[in-house]
Amino acid sequence: MTQSNYFVDRGMNGNTPALPSRADESFVDYVCEARNTLLHARWKQMGDHGNETLKKHDIKIEHSADCVEQVRDVIAGDMELASFMRIKRSYQEIYKDRIIGSINTQRDDWLRKLDEAETTGPGSLTYDPDFPMPDYAKVQIHIQPRGYVGDDLAGLYYDCGTQIFFGGNNAGDAWHRELAERTALPEDGKVDRILEIGCSVGQLACELKKRNTDAEVWATDISAPMVRYGHWRAIQQDLDVNFAQMASEALEFPDNHFDLVTAHILFHEIPRPVIEKTLAEALRVLRPGGTFVLWDFSSASDEKPGYGGFLGLMDSADNGEPYAPGFVTMEVEKNHRGYGLCYSVYW
Amino acid sequence: MLDQTPLDYVKDLPGFERGHPHYFKDPMIDHLLEIVMMIGGELWVERDRRLIMEHLLESKGSVTQTMVEQFEPDDEMAEKLSTARDHFTKRVFGCLYDTDEHTDVGDFFNVIGKEG
């Protein structure tokens, strides 16, 4: 049921629509604040305590359902760990659920806006209602109900819901603007065509367009709800960006086509076999002398990855990150050095 | 061309489904903590609204639902709300810290209000 007639227009918060009510906005602001205060203050301590406790129980961490169940038994016997994990999970749940519930009070209005934007520019939109969605993409990523491919408003949920990931305030896409400024361009200076793969709602693609105003910019994602919303969002900024539904492992572009290819926090969200194919595809569509800039966790297993140990395992299991453990030990940089790959780690 | 070779194992990976994990031996403790966190949020919502209404009454002399919904704080008011929220969180959850340094934060917003 939509109740939009009862709400006033609350405008935009930077490039992201404000939630439909002040109450919902203040609730999620509180969750961000409380989460950051409680979890960040105790993150290292709880990580160390968790690792030591598992060691005492002779549990070797491995990414499997059996191991997670063993770890759950240990957590249940340790009130401190149980409290920490409960708070972490609950804040993620109530944050996501409040945003989705709030947006859905205006669901019909949003669906109409996205429909109207489909034939509007600048920029373009291509997607297939009958896209053969692979199973791996149906994950309830970041515990978002119906994931990123199973709800027509998933892009809007993502836009509002990732504020907690970016520390609670990414108004105006400041995070992505900084990445766009730090993105290495080809040494010969030629930047006629840019591609962002796994673009979600296209924040980095849009900032790259602002930095390279004459370039033809493409933003692709396997999720139709993401590219549909990304197209609407780019229109609000009057940006000529082309959005297309496309699997990262099957890019529908010619060889040697792009001067710059980038992927932002995509690789830890896809399984290893898909990562391998995606790397091959990204390098196929990249011209000789072009750059492929990858922004993600470290994948070097010998660098004590930030996503290891007790907290990494439980974040994977309870925060909808099933593929991250596979990526963070994959040695992408070591195995793909050269070929234009610039690996940029910011965690 | 999209390779449709199924990756059968992915659905069995921990984290593929959202699920309903609990962390205490007795799930009722999980539920109680969930309720406490939810009530904390709802209490802040009421406090936030009251602070905005007081601000509007002082500055405009009247307040309507639309004014509250469309209220955009200036930098000073935004900072006050942010600090009030931070102190509120620390008062409520201070017992979970190792020290009591965070539990003695007063309700500064109302003190400023009286001075104003």
Side-chain angles (χ1 to χ4, degrees):
Chain A
M1 183 176 109
T2 188
Q3 302 168 327
S4 56
N5 289 342
Y6 298 102
F7 290 92
V8 297
D9 181 5
R10 300 191 66 249
M12 303 284 284
N13 177 20
N15 297 323
T16 302
L19 289 177
S21 77
R22 175 74 199 181
D24 292 335
E25 186 176 293
S26 59
F27 185 90
V28 298
D29 284 348
Y30 155 83
V31 174
C32 273
E33 180 88 39
R35 179 184 183 275
N36 290 341
T37 300
L38 282 169
L39 298 186
H40 290 180
R42 309 207 72 199
W43 191 262
K44 185 175 183 316
Q45 184 190 353
M46 285 296 98
D48 292 345
H49 178 51
N51 288 329
E52 286 164 13
T53 306
L54 295 190
K55 201 172 176 181
K56 278 181 198 163
H57 286 79
D58 205 21
I59 294 176
K60 187 174 183 305
I61 291 177
E62 61 180 47
H63 185 223
S64 69
D66 287 346
C67 184
V68 168
E69 287 313 306
Q70 278 185 299
V71 175
R72 288 200 196 288
D73 287 342
V74 170
I75 292 172
D78 186 311
M79 292 294 277
E80 201 172 14
L81 286 179
S83 301
F84 183 81
M85 295 305 297
R86 177 72 268 161
I87 289 167
K88 180 176 182 296
R89 169 73 183 209
S90 288
Y91 276 140
Q92 184 80 332
E93 282 182 5
I94 63 179
Y95 181 85
K96 290 270 179 187
D97 293 353
R98 186 65 164 241
I99 285 170
I100 291 171
S102 183
I103 289 168
N104 273 296
T105 60
Q106 298 183 324
R107 185 174 183 87
D108 292 348
D109 288 351
W110 271 108
L111 292 175
R112 192 181 64 249
K113 280 183 196 178
L114 296 182
D115 283 345
E116 289 170 355
E118 285 192 1
T119 52
T120 308
S124 65
L125 172 67
T126 311
Y127 72 98
D128 177 3
D130 299 317
F131 188 88
M133 192 61 66
D135 284 342
Y136 80 80
K138 297 173 185 171
V139 55
Q140 293 191 328
I141 188 169
H142 299 157
I143 68 168
Q144 183 163 306
R146 298 171 296 285
Y148 285 1
V149 301
D151 188 313
D152 288 339
L153 296 184
L156 180 56
Y157 306 156
Y158 173 93
D159 192 12
C160 297
T162 47
Q163 296 290 322
I164 199 166
F165 174 78
F166 297 117
N169 184 7
N170 189 38
D173 300 330
W175 175 285
H176 302 83
R177 187 173 312 116
E178 183 184 336
L179 295 189
E181 287 166 2
R182 290 168 53 193
T183 296
L185 301 178
E187 286 184 4
D188 60 16
K190 177 178 171 292
V191 189
D192 294 337
R193 297 193 191 100
I194 296 172
L195 168 65
E196 183 191 5
I197 53 178
C199 69
S200 60
V201 300
Q203 288 153 294
L204 180 57
C206 285
E207 293 305 318
L208 286 167
K209 177 66 180 176
K210 291 173 188 172
R211 184 184 170 196
N212 303 273
T213 52
D214 294 333
E216 177 183 311
V217 176
W218 284 84
T220 64
D221 198 282
I222 200 166
S223 161
M226 289 288 169
V227 293
R228 290 186 75 211
Y229 174 75
H231 176 58
W232 177 88
R233 199 177 190 275
I235 290 171
Q236 310 313 304
Q237 299 171 73
D238 198 26
L239 290 172
D240 182 3
V241 175
N242 303 294
F243 284 84
Q245 182 185 25
M246 225 177 270
S248 62
E249 69 273 29
L251 298 174
E252 298 165 30
F253 296 108
D255 296 354
N256 309 321
H257 191 65
F258 289 99
D259 304 289
L260 167 65
V261 177
T262 187
H264 173 230
I265 52 176
L266 164 69
F267 276 41
H268 76 275
E269 308 290 16
I270 51 179
R272 273 191 178 199
V274 180
I275 292 174
E276 293 287 7
K277 290 176 185 169
T278 298
L279 276 165
E281 277 293 85
L283 297 174
R284 178 185 67 77
V285 301
L286 186 70
R287 70 164 169 90
T291 54
F292 173 36
V293 181
L294 175 60
W295 298 95
D296 217 305
F297 297 121
S298 167
S299 73
S301 57
D302 59 350
E303 287 184 3
K304 292 187 178 177
Y307 205 77
F310 167 77
L311 289 176
L313 179 73
M314 294 314 293
D315 192 67
S316 167
D318 290 351
N319 188 29
E321 294 276 17
Y323 310 129
F327 171 68
V328 297
T329 53
M330 197 174 167
E331 303 285 5
V332 169
E333 185 180 22
K334 189 186 289 183
N335 294 331
H336 295 81
R337 188 166 288 142
Y339 307 107
L341 173 65
C342 298
Y343 194 116
S344 298
V345 178
Y346 56 92
W347 285 288
Chain B
M1 185 70 173
L2 183 59
D3 180 359
Q4 284 296 314
T5 306
L7 298 171
D8 291 332
Y9 69 93
V10 296
K11 288 184 174 177
D12 296 326
L13 289 175
F16 189 85
E17 300 279 351
R18 169 165 159 150
H20 303 280
H22 61 84
Y23 301 96
F24 294 92
K25 280 180 182 158
D26 185 345
M28 275 310 295
I29 301 178
D30 287 81
H31 297 326
L32 285 170
L33 261 179
E34 289 177 270
I35 291 166
V36 167
M37 283 186 279
M38 186 63 86
I39 288 176
E42 297 295 354
L43 182 58
W44 169 253
V45 167
E46 294 304 318
R47 174 163 290 209
D48 174 78
R49 200 167 190 86
R50 177 174 65 77
L51 294 173
I52 291 170
M53 288 173 70
E54 288 174 354
H55 179 81
L56 288 169
L57 280 169
E58 275 191 12
S59 58
K60 308 285 185 189
S62 65
V63 61
T64 64
Q65 185 179 10
T66 299
M67 288 166 71
V68 173
E69 291 297 330
Q70 294 186 327
F71 176 70
E72 289 186 17
D74 57 23
D75 289 347
E76 184 184 3
M77 182 64 178
E79 180 65 26
K80 284 181 180 177
L81 286 170
S82 176
T83 306
R85 191 172 59 235
D86 174 52
H87 287 189
F88 171 85
T89 304
K90 286 171 177 167
R91 281 196 303 277
V92 171
F93 293 106
C95 61
L96 293 176
Y97 289 85
D98 285 342
T99 70
D100 60 0
E101 65 178 296
H102 297 297
T103 61
D104 58 354
V105 281
D107 193 351
F108 94 106
F109 201 106
N110 286 340
V111 174
I112 289 174
K114 283 174 188 170
E115 287 173 348

